[in-house]
Amino acid sequence: MQALEVSEKIKVGAVFENAKVTPKWFVRGTRKVVLQSVEFCWRSRTGEVPWMHFSATDGANVFELRFNLKTTEWFLEKILSA
Amino acid sequence: MVPGENPERVILHVDMNAYFASVEQKSNPLLRGKPLVVVADSRRRGVILTASYEARAFGIKTGMNLWEGKKLCPHVTVVDGNTDKYLHASAQILEILETFSHQVEMSSCDEAYLDVTASQTLFGTDGAGIAQMLKDKIRREIGLPCSVGVAPNKALAKMGSDRKKPDGLTVVTRDTVAEFMKDAPIQDMCGIGHRMRDKMNAVGIYTCGDLAKAQRGWVEHHFGFWGYWLKRLAEGKDDTPVKRINDPETVKSIGHSTTFPSDSWDLPILRSYLLLLSEKVAYRLRKMNLQGRTVSLYIRFNDFSGFGKQVAKKEPTDDGTEIYKVTEGILKGALPLMKSVRLFGVSVSNLVENPWQEFLLASLAKKKSANEAVDTINKKYGKFTVKPAGLLFAEKHGILAPPIPPYMNPRKEL
């Protein structure tokens, strides 16, 4: 398995429903990646900044996304591939 | 029956199987079905925190050095642990457990006891039925496997959950206790480490059944009162209650320990670790509104031998500098060091609730205000944004990573 640390700001399309956030797709550069499923999500804090982390897959690769609950910014953290 | 023990009690012990590895496999489908180990930091000293069942099949065990694990399974995947991820999953697990009983005791992030005695009527099923419902719910909602032991007390429930892994369900009743314990190796019991096991083996006790059959006087002669307590466990007797997570008496001590990236003799570096650990313990004490009178230091040397000492203070404290002074005194008493140090553990016990008394001495009042101000800043901007100057040395040697502003790397708290 290969892991690529990215940590860059991205645009994300997400569904906000029943107090839950589910990322559906994101755009990195000119490429749009459609996410098939969110496998796991967890929370963290840096000082007063709360974050949601998502581990999601497009069927081939796994992407770690990070969502700032204060500023609503999204970041692509990591790309994991076989 | 033991006096005071409720014969009707039904206790569940839930053990999340290979927890950290299971969470990693759940969050990354590419890791499923593959041998994997979770380490604290693969760039530093790699001690295996847990191994997936696929890795265990190669003989890899928790606590092994990473190089030993790689020797057994060269293609094992190494993952750096992510505390946020595991604690978040633990909180979700706790939420599920609390839907089955209000008496839930999380004994660690991946183990919990539940007293479901009263829940049986509510759910219209017995302990085994509730255990199966609970397993299904955790699997369905979080996607993680667990083993559950169902028994009349905590000790037996714990042994039950250990009996079948992964994804097991073991039921022990009063009628089956003797059979359950008869051939169980003595080290399967809570409170028996390898040293006690060796001592027991030396006098011919190999199984819980052997200990249960032994005469009380004989056991006490060899092992003192502790031996009597273990004999009761071997007989399947244990009346310790399940303590709810919010019960104040649940917290008996607050501690932190750290294994160094490399063994060290260097006193300035060792003192930096002490200061760091003391500050962490003090922060948690203040956060929980507690103070402690007894300060302990445990030193583990490079050959895994250990030295520990505790000192009782006249007044309880929640101040990092105070705790550091005591631990430094203990360290001084251990000098000169004959071996390099591998691990320090600092803890404070004999806890009392912080009475918020009016401080008569101005210096104490100042210290309290300073600690409050530092805690407020660090809560807002991240741990150790403001810290004692002594920790700058720790930072220089990579013991404490410098605070990273949230906009640069907000992924982790320090």
Side-chain angles (χ1 to χ4, degrees):
Chain A
M1 192 188 70
Q2 290 184 321
L4 180 66
E5 303 272 350
V6 183
S7 268
E8 65 184 45
K9 208 169 159 181
I10 49 166
K11 276 186 184 175
V12 174
V15 173
F16 290 73
E17 195 178 33
N18 300 329
K20 274 180 77 177
V21 190
T22 311
K24 294 290 183 186
W25 51 260
F26 67 86
V27 178
R28 184 185 179 216
T30 54
R31 191 177 156 229
K32 181 177 177 179
V33 176
V34 178
L35 299 169
Q36 283 186 2
S37 60
V38 172
E39 298 294 327
F40 202 74
C41 64
W42 66 99
R43 280 173 182 266
S44 70
R45 289 189 85 87
T46 309
E48 280 188 342
V49 182
W51 297 88
M52 278 296 301
H53 304 258
F54 300 87
S55 176
T57 177
D58 65 351
N61 302 305
V62 178
F63 304 94
E64 260 189 42
L65 307 179
R66 181 163 47 82
F67 178 52
N68 185 325
L69 290 164
K70 232 177 176 178
T71 63
T72 69
E73 288 172 308
W74 287 87
F75 295 84
L76 174 61
E77 273 296 286
K78 217 185 264 183
I79 303 173
L80 304 154
S81 50
Chain B
M1 192 209 319
V2 181
E5 192 174 359
N6 175 2
E8 307 300 331
R9 279 209 306 168
V10 180
I11 309 295
L12 268 52
H13 180 257
V14 180
D15 184 345
M16 302 307 297
N17 303 135
Y19 183 55
F20 298 166
S22 296
V23 171
E24 293 300 340
Q25 286 180 320
K26 167 65 187 147
S27 68
N28 183 351
L30 301 172
L31 295 175
R32 291 175 200 163
K34 292 189 179 154
L36 112 93
V37 290
V38 177
V39 297
D41 185 347
S42 55
R43 291 161 301 175
R44 303 169 92 188
R45 186 201 293 271
V47 176
I48 295 171
L49 301 176
T50 192
S52 67
Y53 282 92
E54 295 83 356
R56 290 177 194 201
F58 287 88
I60 298 179
K61 288 176 185 164
T62 298
M64 268 184 179
N65 282 309
L66 182 55
W67 64 266
E68 290 175 291
K70 280 187 170 171
K71 208 171 158 189
L72 292 167
C73 176
H75 61 286
V76 70
T77 303
V78 182
V79 177
D80 282 333
N82 183 331
T83 316
D84 292 327
K85 207 188 263 189
Y86 311 141
L87 291 180
H88 183 80
S90 288
Q92 287 182 300
I93 292 164
L94 177 61
E95 261 180 44
I96 291 177
L97 299 182
E98 284 181 333
T99 63
F100 290 95
S101 170
H102 70 293
Q103 292 284 115
V104 179
E105 176 184 335
M106 286 295 278
S107 47
S108 70
C109 71
D110 60 348
E111 285 186 37
Y113 294 95
L114 289 86
D115 187 331
V116 297
T117 311
S119 313
Q120 295 175 105
T121 318
L122 186 68
F123 287 90
T125 182
D126 59 3
I130 293 175
Q132 189 58 57
M133 286 162 72
L134 183 152
K135 276 166 64 69
D136 293 344
K137 196 168 181 184
I138 292 177
R139 173 74 86 172
R140 191 172 59 246
E141 294 185 13
I142 311 179
L144 297 174
C146 63
S147 290
V148 182
V150 185
N153 59 50
K154 284 169 77 175
L156 287 171
K158 163 97 176 108
M159 285 181 74
S161 70
D162 285 342
R163 190 61 66 90
K164 281 183 210 157
K165 286 185 173 179
D167 211 15
L169 172 55
T170 304
V171 181
V172 186
T173 63
R174 292 212 167 269
D175 298 337
T176 59
V177 170
E179 185 61 31
F180 180 77
M181 298 298 271
K182 200 177 97 189
D183 297 322
I186 194 73
Q187 65 271 22
D188 282 5
M189 260 178 22
C190 297
I192 305 259
H194 65 278
R195 282 188 193 156
M196 184 53 104
R197 177 203 60 200
D198 292 347
K199 282 182 188 171
M200 292 253 171
N201 288 174
V203 293
I205 292 177
Y206 294 92
T207 65
C208 298
D210 295 338
L211 184 58
K213 275 189 293 184
Q215 291 295 315
R216 178 178 169 177
W218 182 86
V219 174
E220 283 183 342
H221 169 72
H222 285 286
F223 305 105
F225 182 76
W226 180 239
Y228 169 62
W229 188 78
L230 290 172
K231 177 177 158 55
R232 288 184 75 242
L233 288 185
E235 291 167 350
K237 295 170 183 169
D238 171 30
D239 51 5
T240 51
V242 173
K243 289 179 191 162
R244 285 192 306 140
I245 200 157
N246 293 326
D247 286 350
E249 70 270 28
T250 304
V251 181
K252 291 201 173 119
S253 69
I254 303 274
H256 266 292
S257 66
T258 189
T259 302
F260 308 159
S262 57
D263 301 335
S264 180
W265 303 80
D266 194 325
L267 281 178
I269 289 180
L270 294 177
R271 287 197 184 104
S272 285
Y273 276 115
L274 278 189
L275 184 56
L276 172 68
L277 292 169
S278 303
E279 286 294 336
K280 282 186 167 185
V281 170
Y283 175 72
R284 280 181 60 201
L285 283 167
R286 293 195 295 270
K287 210 171 155 190
M288 298 174 80
N289 195 27
L290 293 169
Q291 294 188 327
R293 280 199 176 85
T294 306
V295 178
S296 312
L297 172 66
Y298 177 75
I299 306 172
R300 186 177 293 157
F301 297 104
N302 59 349
D303 62 352
F304 284 85
S305 61
F307 163 83
K309 196 178 171 185
Q310 58 184 39
V311 171
K313 282 172 60 64
K314 275 186 187 163
E315 296 297 329
T317 185
D318 59 4
D319 180 69
T321 315
E322 291 285 318
I323 297 167
Y324 169 70
K325 277 182 196 162
V326 178
T327 54
E328 202 210 6
I330 298 173
L331 177 64
K332 266 185 195 160
L335 298 178
L337 296 171
M338 307 309 283
K339 303 161 197 168
S340 58
V341 178
R342 176 186 168 86
L343 171 147
F344 271 159
V346 172
S347 68
V348 172
S349 55
N350 209 351
L351 303 177
V352 289
E353 272 197 44
N354 190 342
W356 295 108
Q357 63 193 17
E358 288 303 317
F359 290 102
L360 298 173
L361 297 170
S363 61
L364 284 179
K366 270 186 191 170
K367 201 179 273 180
K368 181 175 173 279
S369 318
N371 282 336
E372 279 173 1
V374 168
D375 289 347
T376 308
I377 294 168
N378 288 345
K379 197 178 167 197
K380 183 164 185 181
Y381 295 105
K383 283 177 194 168
F384 293 114
T385 302
V386 178
K387 56 189 165 288
L391 282 182
L392 293 173
F393 185 83
E395 224 168 73
K396 194 175 155 194
H397 287 269
I399 297 164
L400 170 74
I404 300 168
Y407 57 86
M408 283 178 67
N409 184 3
R411 194 161 58 90
K412 271 187 179 179
E413 271 201 295
L414 294 167

